[in-house]
Amino acid sequence: NENMNHKKYTKIIFVLALLGIIIGWVLAMPEKIGLCRIDDIDCIHRYIYRYDTLVTILVVFLSPIFLFSIILYFLGEQKFHSWLRFSKYYLPVAAALIILSPTTDSSILGFDKEFMTWLLAGIYFITSLGIIVFKRARLGVPGAK
């Protein structure tokens, strides 16, 4: 809804990212919240094996989204919309690439799920930061929008 201002969108993104990060950490440490007994190594390993990719995606991708939602809350609406436009196209493509990546890759380059997650999250972080800095710099120039 275009009538909802960017601060409300930013709050929603902040809360969703925080919830996703919490879910990721819960799945990463099932014994800490009672999903497994501390001494039940088989249960712990099943959770870690089953949800490893999901946990990595949730924590690694949602952490920068969480951080940028805080930053963008205090910046202008134009910067927020530029970042959101980038994110809504980048994140589904990145998720597809991660899902399609092999679980393990024994080649020299080693493009497995974990490597792809870290690589794409790094690109996302740097590009998001660039969008915010670039938009901020352009907005400071007379006549630029």
Side-chain angles (χ1 to χ4, degrees):
N1 185 356
E2 289 298 321
N3 294 331
M4 188 183 291
N5 71 26
H6 88 281
K7 289 195 183 237
K8 288 181 185 175
Y9 275 128
T10 307
K11 286 178 189 176
I12 291 168
I13 292 168
F14 172 86
V15 168
L16 291 175
L18 182 59
L19 285 173
I21 292 167
I22 291 169
I23 290 168
W25 282 112
V26 164
L27 292 174
M29 299 181 286
E31 75 282 4
K32 299 289 186 196
I33 62 151
L35 294 174
C36 295
R37 290 188 332 266
I38 292 173
D39 61 344
D40 190 352
I41 301 301
D42 289 336
C43 179
I44 294 168
H45 284 221
R46 270 194 311 274
Y47 264 94
I48 291 171
Y49 178 76
R50 185 178 300 148
Y51 298 111
D52 184 51
T53 300
L54 178 62
V55 166
T56 305
I57 290 170
L58 286 174
V59 174
V60 172
F61 269 102
L62 292 180
S63 294
I65 291 172
F66 177 79
L67 174 69
F68 288 120
S69 68
I70 295 169
I71 294 169
L72 288 164
Y73 182 82
F74 297 103
L75 297 178
E77 190 168 353
Q78 187 178 24
K79 288 180 256 331
F80 170 75
H81 286 293
S82 295
W83 174 77
L84 188 62
R85 202 170 19 258
F86 161 70
S87 294
K88 75 180 181 183
Y89 293 110
Y90 184 85
L91 293 174
V93 171
L97 288 172
I98 292 166
I99 290 168
L100 295 173
S101 296
T103 304
T104 56
D105 186 0
S106 59
S107 70
I108 293 172
L109 298 176
F111 285 103
D112 60 2
K113 285 185 188 301
E114 185 174 356
F115 175 80
M116 288 299 288
T117 302
W118 283 102
L119 175 69
L120 294 170
I123 292 169
Y124 177 76
F125 181 83
I126 291 167
T127 306
S128 292
L129 195 58
I131 288 170
I132 292 169
V133 169
F134 179 70
K135 278 292 183 184
R136 184 152 178 79
R138 281 194 55 207
L139 292 174
V141 176
K145 291 189 180 182

